[in-house]
Structure formats: structure tokens, C-alpha cells
Amino acid sequence: MSTFSDNPYNPNPISKIGIVILLGFTVFHQINIYFEWAIIFVISFLFYKNGLKNDALKNIAFFAAFSCLLPDIVIIRNMNPFIMMFFMLFIVCRMIYLPFSAGKFFIKTSDVGSIISSMDKIKVPQNISIPIAVMFRFFPSFREESRNIKRAMRIRGITFKNPISYIEYVIVPLLVISSNISDDIAKAAETKCIENPVKKTRYLSVKIKTVDFAYMLLMLVMILGGILW
Amino acid sequence: MKTEKLRIKDLVTIGVFAVIYFVLMFLAGIIGIVPILYLAYPTLAGIITGIVIMLFMAKVQKPWGLFILGLICGLIVIAMGNTYVILAHVLISMAIAEFLRKKGEYKSFRYNMLSFALFNTWICGFLMQIFLAKDKVIEMAETRGMGHDYIMKLIKLVNYRSLILVYIGAIIGGIIGAYIGKAFLKKHFEKAGIV
Amino acid sequence: MVKIENLSLSYGNSPKVLKNISLRVEKGECVLFTGKSGSGKSSIINSINGLAVQYDGAFIEGTIRIDNKDVNNLKLYEISILVSSVFQNPKTHFFNINTTLELLFYLENIGLSKNQMDERLNDMLEIFPINHLLNRDIFKLSGGEKQILCIAASYISGTEIIVLDEPSSNLDEENIIIIKEMLMKLKDKGKTLIISEHRIYYLMDIIDRAFLIQDGVIQREYTKTEFMKIPSEKLNELGLRDKTKTKLTVPEIQKKGNFEIKNIEFKFNGVDNNLLFKDISFEMGKIYGIVGTNGLGKSTLLRCLIGCERKSREEIYLEGKRLSKRNRLKISSLVMQDVNHQLFTDSVINEVSLGVKNREIRYVEDILRKLDLYELKDRHPMSLSGGQKQRVAIASVLCKNSRLLFFDEPTSGMDYYNMMNISDLIHECKNDQKIIFIVSHDQEFLNSLADYVINL
């Protein structure tokens, strides 16, 4: 997420997010199972080529579990409604699995710098791109701070026995500290000319590589093919 | 009346609060694992996140602040693999919420409360996409040989009537959350000097 | 270069923080503003870089001119083209999460091309060889490395003037020396440096002039030679830290005691070296300082001792009885470096009585009186000043009456006066039923307080 590298098998963030949105169509339009498998394999291949071997395998395993598990539900037909509802959840997971998988690929393989460059490239207004950049910056701080607060609470002997006051004790310091950090981030940005009206440049450029074309094209073919088949 | 442009400070505040809001919203989402309770998800999320958004509204009393925060939430769930339905839903919810805030000139509690209640309805978008994809569920289940009556039982949960209930729940949750938020502002944040 | 005339500054209706400040800083000069905390030295820095007025809502009279431009008429970004700022707390003052992009962030914002950025980056690497810090996750850097990055970024931006607000306050000795060398190189490059600081020993070879600020006015202007002549006692009286590097005079731990650590083991994620701690014992009624450079796991050791670290394994005995993590949690208290993490309630009195059972209200009030907090007992803890917050945290620790007290960097960023106050306070906590552990890189502080040190 934080460091950038140049991998010929890593599409730029714009293509990756484009694919996520495109795969959103598969939720509403039934596509052929073989094409679905093809999409999963393309994503796993890219995971693998980006050094994420575990994710490549998990991706295939989860999809296999979802798509092979469901037919067996026939047996459960006569079971009580509560378990049926539980399987409803599985069906929902299965439905959104394709865009979810592409979304995971986007998040795991994109560095923040490139995402910011991409937002500039597609002319996302500053009022939206700056808060998004801040989110990436703030999230790790948030994790750190909430861990510290929880630790302080354990040492003070505050437990979850009274959930309402527990939540109060977490959220007050958390929001106060977050507000302070927010001021610090803003000061750091302002003293580095972020409000300068000249056209900004980016150190990391958004490159359109062969893999971008290949990824886009393969996915388009698969989705259209799957729907028309 | 404050009708200033959003400054860098405000944009940073939006980003910071979006993170906090999102984390709390997801924590509330754990409830969705229990079947049937996911219908109560928007209500619960409203109750829990009220503090954060009310504090946010107290900090950024300017046009478009809340709208951008909501829009970003929509963009994130899209990037994590949801459908465009949710984005459309976000735009509608946020537009109404922003309009209500404007009516209250960005500081009236009554309007901010209503605004948050409407803001909170965007979470219903998650269910809305399942509702709209109902046909596919039926189709999918049929091809897998599951009987029609079984499917109907499942689908029954997501029909017009329950959907309306979910929306009402979202608004009520939002109002409760706003009142909790108000209490916290008074008890803590105003005294602590961070608004 | 920088010309300040009759500058007065105030926040809201409170009394003026700065009164009638007039001075000139020439190109290439290094000027120090010094004085105790709250004297207004940081406010001068913040009025030069514009943050005081445009950010914190201060009200200003008089003029500040930078290169003949009136700062009052400039927007923040226009000031930032003339002046770079380095802040006190590098932990939060950055915008990117990648180190290289943070270095180049300013250049992106003024619209330089990639080639120009690479040029400046290489130019910077020639004087500051920090290749090992490039293209990394900022969150994985130590506090010292972050401050190095901030100073490097101020050079890359190419401004002629750099203002630094207590740049050493969160650093250990080793990093302070690195910072010193960096500042010297900046001065050699002809940069104008304006520094506010009360820990001054590392600046003695760099500064040309020093201003002593007291209660918002310039008490006196010193030339370098005059400043060097001020005796140490006088400096301490003025609230300043020593002007020579302090040596740690506390003996290494040796005696046996009845709080015994047989073994502590902790595996860091992804790193080969583990934290190992074996066969050490501590005596009741003593104060132990824990020292060692950043990144050696001092804070981790604290967590292991307290018993709030899940991933560690330890074997610890108190008076012959083995203590589990849970046992230790019960008898431990911690004052954190950032006390904001441990203030939970809506008033000081509720805060100190939180989680305390069977204590009379009189006992609690006595403690508040002892710490000068009694008048503040109905205030919201978060609305207090930094020093007061820390006292509230200490008060709550005292109310809990734990046998093991832990302090994590209690004096970071403190001037001499506040440091001695904390030292006295902790000294009063000391009794035969307690052991006090202090993680600190502040050697003056440890000298004044600790009985033994443990060097990691």
C-alpha cells in the first residue's frame, strides 16, 4: 500500500477500479459459470504475478467453495427456516464475489501514491481527492491510536462489563485525538503549498501498459460472452 | 450565514472523519452475520455513528462537507466491490441530507438531526442491491435445482414491505444517533474545546 | 530577510502572548529563540510561517516582512513558498504515507516536472545520504527518522528560510546529533535558520545570535559568545536545559530485589532480533530508568512487564509468587507519553476516581490538592493544558495505588522547570511498597531521579 514499484503485471489503478465497476454488472445479469471461472483465474493469475501467491490460491478456493457448496443446498430444503436464512447469506456472498475479488486485487496491489496520481489523471476534483488521500494517511494513525486507548483502558481496569460507558470511554479520547491529528495533517499540508493554485504535477505517473489493455479486454470479453452465451 | 468555500482544513477533517465513520459503520455491520438482523443494520449503524457525524457537522459548518463525506463512503464501498446501485443511492441520500442542512444554515440542531437521519439511509443501499438482484437469485437458485417454494421463503425477507420498514428503521436510528451525538457534544466535546 | 516590527499577538480575549517584538534576521543567519515553555518562543515561529493567524485564529498587531513582503497580506501557500517549517512532533506532521512522496510533496504542489524533482532529490541525497529512508512506509520509521525526513524535505523545497519549532523535543541523543549535523549543513548551504528551542546544547555550534524570550517580550539579545558565557545554573533558572551534553550518572542496575524477572520473550513481526530479557530483579522502593536507543523495544518491554502484551511469554515473580499477566495488570499503572490516550471522563474528579474502589472521597481530594488540581476538579480533563493533563494522569495512577508504576517518556518536550516539577512529583510517589519504572531518553531527568538504570 505504501511503497511503489514498477511491475509490468500490475495494471494502473484506473483500469483496476474500472474492472470492479464493470464486474458490478455480473451481480444483476446471470453469466455463464465457465466464464465466471475464467474471470477468477485471470484475477488469480495477476495476484500471482504481483507476488501475492496466497491471495491467488485463496481467491480460487473461496470461489470454488461458494459455487460448489450451493448446489448441495437441495438437501437442506427441509431444514428449519433459520438455517435457510443462513444460507441466504451465502448466496449473497456468492453473488457479489466477482466484484469483491477484483476490489481486493485493487486494494492489495495499488500504492497510495499511484491512486492519488490516478485521481488527478481522471480529473477528480480536489474537494474529493484530498479527503481520499487523507483517509489513506489517517487510517494507520487511527489503528495505532485506538490500540493505545484500548491498552490504557485495560490497565485502568475498564472492562466491557458496562458496554455503554465502555463505548463512551473509547470514543471520547479517540475523537479528541483524531481532531488533533487532523489539525496536524492539515498544517503539514498547508505549509507544503497544497493550496497553491498552479497546476500540480505528480512524481508517479499513471502508465498505460500492455497489462492494462489485456486486463480490460479479457474482462470485457468474459462479461459480454458470459451474458450472451 | 456561513457560505464559505471548503478549505484544506475542512477537507482534511472530512477525510479523518470518513475513516472513523467507516470503521464504526463496519463494526455495526457485524450484526449482519446473524440472519434476519441485517434488516436492523441501518438502524444500529445510525445509533452508533451519530456521535461521529454530529461532531463532524459541528466542526464543518459549510456547504458540501457532509455531501462529500457521504459520497466518499459510496466510492469506497464501490472500490471494495459493490455495485453502482449503491453509488446512485448515496447520491440521492446525500443530496437530500445536504439540502436539509442548508435549510438549517448548517448549524440548527433540528435540521442537522434530520439531515443525519437522511444521511443514514444510504446504508439501505446494501439491501437495495440485493432487492434489485432478486431476479438473479431466483434464476441462479433454479439452475441449481433448488425448489421454488424454498426460494420464495428466502426472498420473502426482502420485499417492498420490509424494505420500507428498513428505511423507517434507518431514519429512526439516525434520529436516536443524533440525540446521542448531541449529548456527547454537550458533555464532552464542547467542554474539551475541539468544536 | 525577515524583519519583525512591533509584533504583538493574542488568542481571543486572553492576554497577549507576544508583546512588541522587533528584530531582524539576515540572510544565512541562524537565530535561536529560547525561554521556558509558554514564554511565547513558539508563537514567534508560528507568526513567521503564518499558522498562528491563518490557522489558530490569533490576532496580530505590527508587521512581519519576509523579503519585503508583508506576511499579513500573503496566503499560507504564498508564505510557504518563502519559508519551510519543521514541527515539534514529527509523529503526525506529514501528509503522505510514502517517504519519497512526502519529500517531493512540496515540489508536486508547486508544479515541478518529474525530471526537476529527480534532480532536487539527487541534490539532497548528496548532502544528506538518506537513501535507506526512500520509498518506505512512514509509519514504520522511528520518531528520529521522521524528523530527519522533515528536515530533508525542508531542504528539498528550496526555500531560503527554514523555521524549526523545538525540533529535538521528541528525539533521543543519537538522533539529536544527526539533526545537529543536518542543521550545520543547511547553514553551510546559506539557508537562514530560525529555531525555537529550550534544549540548547546541540545548537551551540550553529547559532549566530540568541534571543531570550520571557513572558512574550525579548528579555535580552545575545551574541553567540555572550550566550556561551552564561553559566549552567543561570540557564536552569531561566527554564533552559543544559548547554553541554549531559552524561548519565546513574549507576547500572546491580542489587537483588524481590520483583524478579526470570525470563521475557517477545518476537517482533518480520524481524529477526527478538526482545529477550533474563534474570534481573528489582527492589521495592526504588526508581529504575530504562534507556537505550529508539527501536530497541523499550515500549514493548513496558507492555510485557505490565502484562498487556498478548504475544509475549514471561516468567515473573513478586515476593516469590509467580505473577500471571492478569495479576500484573491488576497491580500496574502506566502514565503514557501522550496522556490524551488515558483521559476518559468528563471531569477531573471523575477521572481520578474512575476504576478506584473503596477509596474515601477525602483521600482522592488530598491527592488532587497535592498535585495542584483541586481547583480544576470540575473541569473537563481534555480542556486542560498539556502539563495539567499529565498531572491528572499521575493523580489517577496515585489513586489506584498500584505497586508497579510505569512512566513512558514523561518529559518529552519539557523545559527545565517542568522537567524538575515532574521529577519531584514522581519522587513523591516513591515508597517501600512500590517500584517505579521510567522509560526515558532524557538524561538530565534520569540523573535527577533514578536510582538505577537498565540499558537495553
Side-chain angles (χ1 to χ4, degrees):
Chain A
M1 254 339 240
S2 55
T3 54
F4 50 85
S5 64
D6 218 6
N7 185 330
Y9 285 99
N10 193 353
N12 67 47
I14 303 173
S15 343
K16 281 187 274 195
I17 201 88
I19 295 299
V20 179
I21 293 168
L22 215 58
L23 284 174
F25 282 95
T26 63
V27 178
F28 302 118
H29 302 276
Q30 170 82 25
I31 75 170
N32 184 294
I33 181 79
Y34 299 110
F35 283 88
E36 286 189 300
W37 269 111
I39 290 170
I40 290 297
F41 274 116
V42 170
I43 294 173
S44 273
F45 175 74
L46 288 173
F47 263 129
Y48 180 77
K49 279 293 183 185
N50 280 285
L52 298 163
K53 286 170 195 152
N54 280 338
D55 288 293
L57 287 177
K58 260 195 258 169
N59 186 35
I60 292 172
F62 270 117
F63 189 72
F66 281 136
S67 51
C68 303
L69 210 83
L70 288 179
D72 296 339
I73 291 182
V74 194
I75 309 160
I76 318 169
R77 198 196 302 184
N78 300 322
M79 283 195 169
N80 76 47
F82 201 72
I83 295 175
M84 279 192 210
M85 274 186 275
F86 190 71
F87 276 95
M88 174 81 176
L89 203 71
F90 268 105
I91 296 179
V92 171
C93 290
R94 161 76 179 80
M95 268 163 51
I96 62 164
Y97 191 78
L98 290 185
F100 171 79
S101 167
K104 194 173 162 200
F105 176 62
F106 164 71
I107 287 170
K108 282 237 166 173
T109 61
S110 307
D111 68 278
V112 178
S114 303
I115 294 174
I116 294 170
S117 300
S118 308
M119 286 194 290
D120 280 5
K121 184 104 178 175
I122 53 172
K123 306 224 159 36
V124 174
Q126 263 205 13
N127 279 352
I128 293 170
S129 67
I130 290 177
I132 292 179
V134 170
M135 289 185 79
F136 287 116
R137 155 69 183 80
F138 178 66
F139 187 69
S141 293
F142 177 82
R143 250 192 346 206
E144 230 169 69
E145 303 302 335
S146 34
R147 206 178 297 146
N148 281 333
I149 291 168
K150 273 191 247 155
R151 193 170 287 143
M153 291 175 71
R154 278 187 67 200
I155 299 171
R156 270 293 269 290
I158 303 168
T159 52
F160 205 71
K161 267 180 208 145
N162 184 348
I164 291 177
S165 50
Y166 185 88
I167 290 169
E168 180 177 344
Y169 295 148
V170 178
I171 210 150
V172 171
L174 192 60
L175 287 178
V176 172
I177 291 171
S178 301
S179 296
N180 294 343
I181 294 179
S182 159
D183 279 350
D184 286 351
I185 298 174
K187 280 181 188 172
E190 298 244 32
T191 54
K192 293 209 166 134
C193 288
I194 195 170
E195 240 176 338
N196 196 341
V198 300
K199 196 175 175 323
K200 296 195 165 94
T201 48
R202 292 290 171 204
Y203 184 68
L204 298 177
S205 51
V206 183
K207 288 186 206 117
I208 299 169
K209 293 170 284 193
T210 336
V211 67
D212 289 288
F213 284 112
Y215 190 39
M216 285 283 210
L217 203 72
L218 274 173
M219 286 301 180
L220 260 179
V221 167
M222 239 73 92
I223 292 167
L224 288 177
I227 290 172
L228 297 176
W229 201 260
Chain B
M1 194 166 104
K2 274 188 181 172
T3 42
E4 294 166 62
K5 254 181 66 187
L6 292 170
R7 303 274 317 270
I8 296 299
K9 191 180 181 177
D10 305 312
L11 296 177
V12 173
T13 307
I14 293 173
V16 164
F17 276 77
V19 170
I20 305 172
Y21 174 74
F22 223 77
V23 170
L24 289 185
M25 197 196 85
F26 258 83
L27 281 182
I30 294 173
I31 192 184
I33 293 173
V34 184
I36 216 164
L37 277 188
Y38 49 78
L39 295 176
Y41 175 34
T43 317
L44 184 73
I47 294 171
I48 290 182
T49 59
I51 302 167
V52 180
I53 300 296
M54 291 312 278
L55 176 60
F56 171 78
M57 289 208 258
K59 278 178 85 89
V60 181
Q61 300 186 353
K62 291 180 185 176
W64 301 111
L66 188 70
F67 185 89
I68 293 173
L69 185 117
L71 181 63
I72 288 172
C73 291
L75 291 176
I76 295 168
V77 291
I78 287 272
M80 295 196 328
N82 274 278
T83 60
Y84 45 84
V85 171
I86 230 169
L87 193 61
H89 199 297
V90 163
L91 285 173
I92 296 167
S93 294
M94 294 311 143
I96 304 173
E98 184 64 36
F99 173 74
L100 284 169
R101 268 202 98 191
K102 187 165 190 265
K103 277 218 119 176
E105 293 183 356
Y106 302 96
K107 46 179 187 257
S108 131
F109 170 73
R110 280 251 304 280
Y111 280 100
N112 277 352
M113 171 190 79
L114 291 176
S115 175
F116 173 61
L118 258 297
F119 174 95
N120 193 41
T121 57
W122 83 272
I123 297 174
C124 306
F126 288 107
L127 283 167
M128 190 59 131
Q129 47 184 10
I130 298 172
F131 178 72
L132 291 178
K134 221 157 88 173
D135 295 342
K136 191 189 166 187
V137 180
I138 295 172
E139 201 180 334
M140 209 167 72
E142 273 175 346
T143 53
R144 307 243 192 289
M146 285 186 278
H148 208 69
D149 53 331
Y150 166 69
I151 288 306
M152 282 341 272
K153 262 186 201 156
L154 294 180
I155 298 297
K156 245 183 206 159
L157 278 175
V158 197
N159 56 18
Y160 272 114
R161 216 173 297 154
S162 61
L163 211 58
I164 288 169
L165 279 177
V166 169
Y167 275 90
I168 293 172
I171 287 173
I172 290 172
I175 290 172
I176 297 172
Y179 272 102
I180 297 175
K182 190 188 179 189
F184 267 72
L185 275 172
K186 247 205 168 125
K187 188 175 176 196
H188 291 288
F189 303 126
E190 276 165 16
K191 285 195 206 158
I194 59 164
V195 279
Chain C
M1 269 306 236
V2 181
K3 200 171 148 198
I4 300 179
E5 273 173 355
N6 291 321
L7 173 72
S8 295
L9 181 129
S10 54
Y11 293 97
N13 294 322
S14 33
K16 284 181 180 170
V17 183
L18 294 176
K19 286 165 241 162
N20 283 320
I21 305 274
S22 294
L23 55 97
R24 265 179 84 95
V25 181
E26 301 301 331
K27 187 174 164 18
E29 238 190 332
C30 173
V31 171
L32 167 70
F33 294 113
T34 190
K36 59 178 164 204
S37 302
S39 61
K41 58 184 192 300
S42 295
S43 297
I44 300 182
I45 298 287
N46 286 330
S47 13
I48 296 174
N49 64 19
L51 287 176
V53 177
Q54 308 202 21
Y55 225 90
D56 301 328
F59 181 71
I60 213 169
E61 288 167 76
T63 53
I64 303 170
R65 291 180 166 277
I66 302 171
D67 292 346
N68 273 325
K69 285 175 204 143
D70 189 342
V71 166
N72 281 333
N73 302 331
L74 297 179
K75 294 221 166 88
L76 263 178
Y77 74 87
E78 289 168 318
I79 303 173
S80 306
I81 290 174
L82 304 168
V83 181
S84 299
S85 308
V86 174
F87 297 97
Q88 190 186 108
N89 186 0
K91 200 180 137 206
T92 49
H93 280 106
F94 53 90
F95 188 81
N96 297 275
I97 62 172
N98 180 286
T99 50
T100 306
L101 294 180
E102 178 66 16
L103 282 172
L104 300 171
F105 186 52
Y106 177 89
L107 304 180
E108 292 185 330
N109 288 331
I110 59 170
L112 291 196
S113 70
K114 186 172 190 296
N115 284 340
Q116 284 169 307
M117 288 189 216
D118 276 327
E119 241 166 62
R120 292 240 195 148
L121 192 63
N122 289 330
D123 175 40
M124 186 274 296
L125 286 174
E126 247 162 57
I127 71 161
F128 304 135
I130 52 167
N131 285 295
H132 61 288
L133 295 182
L134 295 183
N135 197 7
R136 278 177 61 186
D137 182 349
I138 287 197
F139 285 92
K140 301 238 164 84
L141 300 189
S142 71
E145 287 172 322
K146 280 180 193 154
Q147 196 62 298
I148 291 168
L149 197 73
C150 284
I151 295 179
S154 74
Y155 175 72
I156 273 199
S157 67
T159 60
E160 285 304 315
I161 304 167
I162 300 170
V163 296
L164 304 99
D165 187 8
E166 299 182 22
S168 79
S169 60
N170 289 297
L171 307 184
D172 59 18
E173 306 267 324
E174 253 171 64
N175 280 304
I176 290 179
I177 289 166
I178 298 177
I179 297 288
K180 174 190 172 180
E181 279 162 10
M182 291 181 84
L183 292 178
M184 283 177 98
K185 283 182 186 161
L186 287 176
K187 201 184 168 198
D188 289 344
K189 287 271 171 185
K191 304 279 180 191
T192 311
L193 303 176
I194 303 175
I195 307 169
S196 123
E197 186 68 277
H198 49 242
R199 182 184 315 224
I200 49 180
Y201 73 86
Y202 74 103
L203 294 168
M204 295 313 265
D205 301 335
I206 309 170
I207 55 166
D208 298 307
R209 279 187 297 158
F211 292 90
L212 176 67
I213 312 291
Q214 267 180 338
D215 300 322
V217 294
I218 300 180
Q219 196 63 32
R220 206 182 144 178
E221 181 185 338
Y222 297 88
T223 63
K224 182 179 181 172
T225 34
E226 283 169 346
F227 196 66
M228 296 288 275
K229 278 187 199 144
I230 309 174
S232 295
E233 300 78 52
K234 180 82 193 327
L235 287 176
N236 289 347
E237 232 171 79
L238 294 169
L240 305 183
R241 295 305 190 90
D242 224 334
K243 65 180 169 186
T244 50
K245 199 178 145 188
T246 329
K247 284 241 159 57
L248 196 60
T249 53
V250 187
E252 288 256 342
I253 181 166
Q254 39 199 216
K255 269 213 215 146
K256 287 271 162 203
N258 50 11
F259 181 61
E260 290 170 85
I261 295 172
K262 285 265 155 61
N263 187 26
I264 289 183
E265 239 185 283
F266 178 83
K267 284 198 175 85
F268 286 105
N269 268 348
V271 194
D272 291 336
N273 60 332
N274 296 336
L275 182 72
L276 261 176
F277 214 65
K278 262 188 167 49
D279 296 322
I280 286 190
S281 64
F282 302 92
E283 217 180 326
M284 282 290 157
K286 291 278 187 275
I287 298 177
Y288 294 91
I290 301 175
V291 296
T293 43
N294 282 340
L296 283 180
K298 281 176 294 182
S299 305
T300 316
L301 175 64
L302 267 200
R303 290 201 300 275
C304 294
L305 283 171
I306 294 171
C308 60
E309 180 58 65
R310 291 206 172 86
K311 290 187 292 175
S312 63
R313 254 185 295 161
E314 29 327 67
E315 200 184 333
I316 295 175
Y317 296 87
L318 176 67
E319 287 152 2
K321 258 172 54 191
R322 182 160 180 182
L323 296 178
S324 67
K325 282 188 209 284
R326 186 181 287 247
N327 295 146
R328 272 175 286 136
L329 256 178
K330 274 220 174 102
I331 58 163
S332 302
S333 280
L334 168 69
V335 176
M336 297 172 122
Q337 186 174 3
D338 182 356
V339 288
N340 284 321
H341 290 121
Q342 50 186 145
L343 302 175
F344 306 110
T345 60
D346 62 339
S347 73
V348 170
I349 185 90
N350 287 344
E351 186 64 44
V352 290
S353 20
L354 175 69
V356 179
K357 283 167 211 145
N358 314 323
R359 284 248 175 245
E360 284 173 45
I361 188 84
R362 267 201 26 229
Y363 178 84
V364 173
E365 287 184 348
D366 276 348
I367 287 177
L368 287 183
R369 273 198 201 94
K370 211 165 88 186
L371 297 185
D372 274 340
L373 290 168
Y374 189 72
E375 273 72 48
L376 305 169
K377 75 180 167 95
D378 295 319
R379 288 271 300 271
H380 196 290
M382 289 291 189
S383 69
L384 303 175
S385 76
Q388 290 167 336
K389 280 183 196 171
Q390 196 179 29
R391 293 212 300 276
V392 173
I394 294 176
S396 67
V397 162
L398 289 180
C399 286
K400 196 183 163 193
N401 204 11
S402 308
R403 299 197 68 187
L404 305 175
L405 293 190
F406 297 88
F407 291 83
D408 193 358
E409 300 286 3
T411 61
S412 66
M414 280 191 186
D415 64 4
Y416 185 79
Y417 175 77
N418 288 322
M419 183 265 282
M420 283 316 283
N421 274 347
I422 279 292
S423 167
D424 291 343
L425 246 178
I426 296 179
H427 212 89
E428 278 181 43
C429 301
K430 185 171 161 176
N431 70 33
D432 320 339
Q433 290 305 307
K434 285 187 171 77
I435 309 179
I436 299 175
F437 296 91
I438 301 167
V439 167
S440 180
H441 49 241
D442 187 341
Q443 317 218 329
E444 282 174 272
F445 173 63
L446 289 178
N447 284 343
S448 75
L449 183 66
D451 297 309
Y452 299 104
V453 294
I454 313 147
N455 211 329
L456 282 190

